[in-house]
Amino acid sequence: MFKHLLVPVDGSELSDRAAQTAISLAATLGARITGFVAEPLPPMPNESSGMAAYTRTADEHRAHARGVLAAFGKMAAEQGVAFHGEYKRTDAIDDAIVEAAKVFEADLVVMVTHGRGAFGEFLYGSQTKAVLAGSKLPLLVLR
């Protein structure tokens, strides 16, 4: 059935849950996992809004992604699941996830949703809905 799962993660408690669920599923199916971290590009400083210059460096983003992927890879190894990690900085996280699924030839995307409701989605948007709309692959959504 499914042989390669793409699992976008960000190091949050919710994405850890997605990682654990994906590992259990992969172990059951004999599938492998590609963990994927998509870090947003920094916003442009805007003097009129008083927004300070963004201080997190590319190296800090890389270090964060490596740490998240290393923890995910360790959990997968403990369950005997083949794991590969990838990282990308982007201004369109949903597009990066869809593209990663194509590039790495995944046949299922496993994501977690914040479950903010209609008002929350209006304010913050929904990466999960955007991935669902932009991908032809099955999407397992965890709440």
Side-chain angles (χ1 to χ4, degrees), residues 7-143:
V7 186
V9 291
D10 62 9
S12 68
E13 186 177 322
L14 284 175
S15 76
D16 287 348
R17 212 170 68 212
Q20 291 168 353
T21 300
I23 290 167
S24 295
L25 179 60
T28 300
L29 298 173
R32 61 191 168 98
I33 293 176
T34 295
F36 184 68
V37 175
E39 291 270 358
L41 292 172
M44 297 303 292
N46 182 340
E47 290 179 30
S48 65
S49 70
M51 189 171 90
Y54 190 76
T55 59
R56 195 169 180 192
T57 68
D59 287 340
E60 289 169 322
H61 277 280
R62 244 186 319 280
H64 174 258
R66 285 183 182 144
V68 169
L69 294 170
F72 192 172
K74 181 179 178 191
M75 289 189 305
E78 289 170 355
Q79 298 297 317
V81 173
F83 178 84
H84 174 76
E86 288 290 331
Y87 156 74
K88 180 174 185 172
R89 286 186 78 194
T90 180
D91 60 352
I93 291 174
D94 53 325
D95 291 339
I97 293 168
V98 170
E99 183 63 26
K102 290 177 192 172
V103 168
F104 301 115
E105 299 178 347
D107 50 18
L108 176 68
V109 178
V110 179
M111 289 183 72
V112 67
T113 182
H114 289 89
R116 291 183 180 116
F119 185 68
E121 284 182 21
F122 173 74
L123 287 177
Y124 304 110
S126 170
Q127 297 297 331
T128 305
K129 275 189 172 182
V131 170
L132 181 61
S135 177
K136 292 180 173 43
L137 291 177
L139 178 64
L140 175 60
V141 179
L142 307 169
R143 187 162 185 182

